[in-house]
Amino acid sequence: MLKKYFLLLSLLAFISCKKSAVNPAPDEPPFTDPEMTYIDLTGKSVAMDQSLSIDFDKNGKFDILFMTERRAYDGNTKSADVFMVYNGLACNLATNMANETTPDLQKGNKISRADLPNHEWYPVLGFTLMQKVSTATQTYWEGSWKDKDHRYLPLELIINGQTHRGWIELFADTNSGKIVFYRAAISKTPQTKIRAGF
Protein backbone atom coordinates (compact mmCIF):
# COMPACT_ATOMS: atom_id res chain seq x y z
CA MET A 1 0.00 0.00 0.00
CA LEU A 2 2.87 2.34 0.89
CA LYS A 3 4.53 1.60 -2.48
CA LYS A 4 1.33 2.56 -4.33
CA TYR A 5 1.14 5.81 -2.34
CA PHE A 6 4.74 6.85 -3.20
CA LEU A 7 4.23 5.82 -6.84
CA LEU A 8 1.11 8.00 -7.09
CA LEU A 9 2.89 10.92 -5.39
CA SER A 10 5.85 10.64 -7.79
CA LEU A 11 3.51 10.56 -10.79
CA LEU A 12 1.67 13.69 -9.63
CA ALA A 13 4.98 15.51 -9.05
CA PHE A 14 6.16 14.57 -12.57
CA ILE A 15 2.92 15.78 -14.20
CA SER A 16 2.94 19.09 -12.34
CA CYS A 17 6.56 19.79 -13.32
CA LYS A 18 6.13 18.94 -17.01
CA LYS A 19 6.79 21.98 -19.20
CA SER A 20 4.25 23.26 -21.68
CA ALA A 21 5.09 22.60 -25.33
CA VAL A 22 3.68 26.00 -26.43
CA ASN A 23 6.26 28.13 -28.24
CA PRO A 24 6.71 31.64 -26.81
CA ALA A 25 5.54 34.53 -28.99
CA PRO A 26 8.39 36.17 -30.89
CA ASP A 27 9.44 39.62 -29.64
CA GLU A 28 8.10 42.50 -31.71
CA PRO A 29 10.98 44.34 -33.41
CA PRO A 30 11.65 47.85 -32.08
CA PHE A 31 9.59 50.53 -33.83
CA THR A 32 11.47 52.96 -36.06
CA ASP A 33 9.77 56.34 -36.31
CA PRO A 34 9.81 57.83 -39.83
CA GLU A 35 11.01 61.37 -40.41
CA MET A 36 8.22 63.87 -39.71
CA THR A 37 7.48 67.49 -40.60
CA TYR A 38 6.34 69.35 -37.47
CA ILE A 39 4.17 72.43 -37.12
CA ASP A 40 4.45 74.42 -33.88
CA LEU A 41 0.97 75.47 -32.74
CA THR A 42 2.05 76.86 -29.35
CA GLY A 43 -0.12 79.80 -28.30
CA LYS A 44 -2.91 78.96 -30.73
CA SER A 45 -6.41 78.19 -29.49
CA VAL A 46 -10.03 78.27 -30.60
CA ALA A 47 -12.64 79.83 -28.32
CA MET A 48 -16.25 80.54 -29.24
CA ASP A 49 -16.58 82.48 -32.53
CA GLN A 50 -12.99 81.65 -33.52
CA SER A 51 -11.41 79.18 -35.93
CA LEU A 52 -8.04 77.69 -36.86
CA SER A 53 -7.07 76.03 -40.14
CA ILE A 54 -4.00 73.90 -40.80
CA ASP A 55 -2.52 73.50 -44.29
CA PHE A 56 0.00 70.65 -43.96
CA ASP A 57 1.18 70.59 -47.58
CA LYS A 58 1.20 74.41 -48.05
CA ASN A 59 -1.00 74.33 -51.16
CA GLY A 60 -3.25 77.16 -49.99
CA LYS A 61 -6.18 74.90 -49.03
CA PHE A 62 -7.06 73.89 -45.50
CA ASP A 63 -6.55 70.25 -44.60
CA ILE A 64 -8.05 70.56 -41.12
CA LEU A 65 -10.35 73.29 -39.82
CA PHE A 66 -11.32 73.76 -36.17
CA MET A 67 -14.32 76.04 -35.69
CA THR A 68 -17.28 76.79 -33.45
CA GLU A 69 -20.98 77.41 -33.94
CA ARG A 70 -24.04 78.05 -31.81
CA ARG A 71 -27.03 75.77 -32.17
CA ALA A 72 -30.54 75.95 -30.75
CA TYR A 73 -32.64 72.89 -29.89
CA ASP A 74 -36.08 71.99 -28.60
CA GLY A 75 -37.87 75.14 -29.73
CA ASN A 76 -35.01 77.38 -28.54
CA THR A 77 -35.25 76.07 -24.96
CA LYS A 78 -31.77 74.54 -25.21
CA SER A 79 -28.63 75.86 -26.90
CA ALA A 80 -25.10 74.60 -27.41
CA ASP A 81 -21.74 76.18 -28.13
CA VAL A 82 -20.22 73.52 -30.38
CA PHE A 83 -16.49 72.96 -30.96
CA MET A 84 -15.93 71.06 -34.20
CA VAL A 85 -13.26 69.74 -36.52
CA TYR A 86 -13.66 69.47 -40.31
CA ASN A 87 -11.32 67.85 -42.81
CA GLY A 88 -10.78 68.81 -46.43
CA LEU A 89 -10.87 66.77 -49.62
CA ALA A 90 -7.25 65.62 -49.41
CA CYS A 91 -7.43 64.73 -45.72
CA ASN A 92 -8.97 61.62 -44.15
CA LEU A 93 -10.13 61.44 -40.54
CA ALA A 94 -10.82 58.20 -38.71
CA THR A 95 -14.43 57.79 -37.64
CA ASN A 96 -16.15 55.31 -35.39
CA MET A 97 -19.44 55.00 -37.26
CA ALA A 98 -21.24 53.54 -34.24
CA ASN A 99 -20.97 56.76 -32.23
CA GLU A 100 -19.71 59.26 -34.85
CA THR A 101 -16.52 60.15 -32.98
CA THR A 102 -12.89 60.43 -33.94
CA PRO A 103 -10.25 58.78 -31.73
CA ASP A 104 -8.28 60.68 -29.10
CA LEU A 105 -4.94 58.88 -28.99
CA GLN A 106 -2.35 58.90 -26.25
CA LYS A 107 1.34 59.53 -26.89
CA GLY A 108 2.96 56.48 -28.44
CA ASN A 109 -0.23 54.97 -29.89
CA LYS A 110 0.45 53.72 -33.41
CA ILE A 111 -1.39 55.30 -36.31
CA SER A 112 -2.36 53.15 -39.28
CA ARG A 113 -5.58 51.61 -40.51
CA ALA A 114 -4.58 48.28 -38.98
CA ASP A 115 -4.02 49.93 -35.60
CA LEU A 116 -7.50 51.51 -35.61
CA PRO A 117 -9.59 48.53 -36.74
CA ASN A 118 -12.94 49.89 -35.50
CA HIS A 119 -12.64 53.07 -37.54
CA GLU A 120 -13.19 54.02 -41.16
CA TRP A 121 -11.31 56.85 -42.88
CA TYR A 122 -13.15 59.52 -44.88
CA PRO A 123 -12.55 62.99 -46.33
CA VAL A 124 -14.94 65.93 -45.90
CA LEU A 125 -16.39 65.09 -42.51
CA GLY A 126 -17.31 67.12 -39.45
CA PHE A 127 -17.03 65.97 -35.84
CA THR A 128 -18.18 67.56 -32.62
CA LEU A 129 -15.26 67.40 -30.20
CA MET A 130 -17.13 68.96 -27.28
CA GLN A 131 -20.04 71.28 -26.64
CA LYS A 132 -21.32 73.51 -23.86
CA VAL A 133 -25.05 72.90 -23.44
CA SER A 134 -27.28 75.48 -21.76
CA THR A 135 -30.91 75.10 -20.65
CA ALA A 136 -33.14 77.23 -18.44
CA THR A 137 -31.90 75.36 -15.37
CA GLN A 138 -28.36 74.12 -16.07
CA THR A 139 -25.17 74.40 -18.08
CA TYR A 140 -22.91 71.43 -18.74
CA TRP A 141 -20.22 70.13 -21.12
CA GLU A 142 -20.43 66.96 -23.18
CA GLY A 143 -18.53 65.27 -26.00
CA SER A 144 -15.93 62.54 -26.39
CA TRP A 145 -12.99 64.98 -26.32
CA LYS A 146 -13.98 67.15 -23.35
CA ASP A 147 -11.07 67.72 -20.93
CA LYS A 148 -8.76 65.41 -22.91
CA ASP A 149 -5.29 67.01 -22.60
CA HIS A 150 -2.23 66.23 -24.71
CA ARG A 151 -4.25 63.83 -26.86
CA TYR A 152 -3.67 63.24 -30.54
CA LEU A 153 -6.13 63.46 -33.43
CA PRO A 154 -4.91 61.04 -36.14
CA LEU A 155 -5.21 61.91 -39.82
CA GLU A 156 -4.16 60.87 -43.31
CA LEU A 157 -3.11 63.40 -45.95
CA ILE A 158 -3.10 62.54 -49.65
CA ILE A 159 -0.06 64.16 -51.33
CA ASN A 160 0.61 63.37 -55.01
CA GLY A 161 -1.71 60.37 -54.73
CA GLN A 162 0.10 58.87 -51.75
CA THR A 163 -1.07 58.63 -48.14
CA HIS A 164 0.98 60.38 -45.45
CA ARG A 165 -0.07 59.86 -41.83
CA GLY A 166 -0.05 62.57 -39.19
CA TRP A 167 -1.50 63.88 -35.95
CA ILE A 168 -2.54 67.04 -34.12
CA GLU A 169 -1.86 67.41 -30.38
CA LEU A 170 -4.53 69.36 -28.51
CA PHE A 171 -6.46 69.97 -25.29
CA ALA A 172 -10.27 70.34 -25.31
CA ASP A 173 -10.40 72.52 -22.18
CA THR A 174 -13.85 73.06 -20.64
CA ASN A 175 -12.46 75.30 -17.87
CA SER A 176 -11.26 77.93 -20.34
CA GLY A 177 -13.96 77.12 -22.90
CA LYS A 178 -11.55 76.59 -25.76
CA ILE A 179 -9.43 74.11 -27.67
CA VAL A 180 -5.73 74.63 -26.99
CA PHE A 181 -3.18 73.44 -29.56
CA TYR A 182 0.40 72.23 -29.10
CA ARG A 183 1.86 70.63 -32.25
CA ALA A 184 0.96 68.92 -35.49
CA ALA A 185 3.05 66.57 -37.62
CA ILE A 186 2.92 64.73 -40.93
CA SER A 187 5.16 61.89 -42.12
CA LYS A 188 7.61 62.64 -44.90
CA THR A 189 7.41 59.01 -46.00
CA PRO A 190 4.12 57.82 -47.54
CA GLN A 191 2.35 54.58 -46.68
CA THR A 192 4.16 54.19 -43.35
CA LYS A 193 2.96 53.62 -39.80
CA ILE A 194 3.70 56.40 -37.28
CA ARG A 195 3.30 56.98 -33.55
CA ALA A 196 1.28 59.78 -31.99
CA GLY A 197 3.56 62.43 -30.51
CA PHE A 198 6.75 61.24 -32.23
Side-chain angles (χ1 to χ4, degrees), residues 8 14 39 52 68 93 149:
L8 182 60
F14 174 77
I39 300 171
L52 173 73
T68 62
L93 286 180
D149 193 5

Side-chain angles (χ1 to χ4, degrees), residues 67-140:
M67 60 172 288
T68 62
E69 61 182 45
R70 284 195 170 85
R71 296 178 184 166
Y73 304 96
D74 301 334
N76 291 329
T77 61
K78 183 165 83 171
S79 65
D81 292 347
V82 185
F83 292 75
M84 303 191 69
V85 59
Y86 290 93
N87 55 321
L89 262 176
C91 184
N92 295 324
L93 286 180
T95 176
N96 183 325
M97 297 305 284
N99 55 19
E100 296 183 3
T101 59
T102 189
D104 56 288
L105 302 181
Q106 296 186 32
K107 186 171 185 175
N109 288 155
K110 291 180 180 154
I111 300 174
S112 73
R113 294 196 176 202
D115 291 301
L116 294 166
N118 298 324
H119 294 79
E120 296 180 45
W121 297 75
Y122 294 108
V124 197
L125 291 177
F127 294 98
T128 297
L129 300 175
M130 66 177 184
Q131 61 182 4
K132 182 181 180 181
V133 180
S134 300
T135 70
T137 57
Q138 62 180 331
T139 299
Y140 57 92

Side-chain angles (χ1 to χ4, degrees), residues 38-50:
Y38 297 95
I39 300 171
D40 184 10
L41 300 173
T42 305
K44 296 188 183 299
S45 63
V46 170
M48 201 59 206
D49 299 320
Q50 295 177 340

Side-chain angles (χ1 to χ4, degrees), residues 14-26:
F14 174 77
I15 291 171
S16 65
C17 291
K18 190 176 179 183
K19 299 288 183 193
S20 171
V22 176
N23 291 330

